[in-house]
Amino acid sequence: FKNMLRHRVIPCLLIQDEKLVKTLKFDSAKYVGDYLNAIKIFNDKEVDELIVLDISASKKNLNPNLNLIKKFSSECFMPVCYGGGIKNFDQAKKIFKLGIEKICLQTSALDNTSLITEISKYFGSQSVIVSLDIKKDWLGNYRLFRSQNGNFEKLDWKVFLQKVIKAGAGEVLVNCVDKDGTMKGMDLNII
């Protein structure tokens, strides 16, 4: 029972144009080093999992960079999740073949929750993470945010959360845009 309550360390690396970056409120990406060196450090620290998000893939409407994924997946000694530019089942299948254990969907999940169902039925729900970006609007209300184009979605974020769970998402990654990169901790109200 004690093992069930232990903390898990799951770093999230942001890749933009094949460079490791840090953002501030999903803007102003700054180069912070080589992603392979960061992965080696996390190997040494024996983190539980690693999430790698290619933030340029969806914004630029690119397909997943399979060469990039192959490079970092071969360096990881922990389970890895990849997100960025995944638009269909065939792309997900290719990514899993490269040794990735989980995929993270956002833009494609906003557009088509049936993709979540298709992937989770074939690979299992534990292999599908859906990323929700939440941002306060000018009235201070939490809203579902589409990072691809920087716009709010009309659908309530809690309704969308239930929708992706019903579709087969095994995990949900909640990102608070207003707190991103500020080093001020998590938004416990959202959680």
Side-chain angles (χ1 to χ4, degrees):
F1 185 71
K2 283 184 179 181
N3 286 339
M4 291 178 65
L5 299 177
R6 78 177 183 89
H7 296 315
R8 297 179 68 226
V9 178
I10 308 173
C12 182
L13 300 179
L14 302 180
I15 307 290
Q16 182 174 321
D17 301 323
E18 296 194 35
K19 296 179 179 114
L20 182 63
V21 298
K22 182 181 183 323
T23 59
L24 179 62
K25 298 183 180 184
F26 284 27
D27 200 13
S28 307
K30 290 190 167 94
Y31 174 76
V32 292
D34 178 53
Y35 62 90
L36 290 177
N37 284 336
I39 289 169
K40 289 174 185 174
I41 291 167
F42 290 130
N43 282 335
D44 291 343
K45 298 289 182 188
E46 298 181 359
V47 300
D48 297 295
E49 285 183 45
L50 184 65
I51 299 174
V52 179
L53 301 176
D54 184 343
I55 61 174
S56 53
S58 291
K59 282 190 177 189
K60 295 180 179 180
N61 199 28
L62 302 172
N63 291 322
N65 183 335
L66 298 179
N67 289 328
L68 171 82
I69 297 167
K70 188 175 182 178
K71 276 185 209 172
F72 71 72
S73 69
S74 66
E75 290 292 328
C76 291
F77 299 142
M78 75 287 286
V80 182
C81 171
Y82 169 80
I86 303 166
K87 299 172 195 71
N88 58 56
F89 178 80
D90 290 332
Q91 288 174 333
K93 197 171 184 179
K94 287 176 185 174
I95 291 166
F96 285 123
K97 282 185 179 179
L98 294 174
I100 300 298
E101 286 84 2
K102 298 177 183 182
I103 58 158
C104 185
L105 304 173
Q106 184 187 76
T107 302
S108 58
L110 287 166
D111 294 336
N112 176 18
T113 55
S114 64
L115 179 61
I116 300 166
T117 306
E118 185 179 10
I119 294 169
S120 66
K121 280 187 177 177
Y122 190 85
F123 292 102
S125 62
Q126 81 289 342
S127 65
V128 181
I129 297 176
V130 173
S131 173
L132 298 181
D133 290 340
I134 311 294
K135 182 177 170 70
K136 286 184 181 178
D137 64 14
W138 65 279
L139 293 172
N141 298 313
Y142 292 109
R143 302 268 311 273
L144 185 59
F145 184 75
R146 184 184 288 253
S147 59
Q148 177 193 30
N149 60 17
N151 294 325
F152 289 111
E153 292 290 303
K154 291 180 182 174
L155 185 63
D156 180 88
W157 72 271
K158 290 179 240 162
V159 171
F160 185 69
L161 174 63
Q162 291 301 313
K163 192 174 179 180
V164 300
I165 291 169
K166 285 180 185 171
E171 295 180 38
V172 177
L173 172 63
V174 178
N175 301 305
C176 178
V177 177
D178 300 309
K179 292 262 190 168
D180 172 66
T182 64
M183 302 298 285
K184 293 182 180 176
M186 298 173 277
D187 188 329
L188 298 178
N189 291 325
I190 292 175
I191 296 169

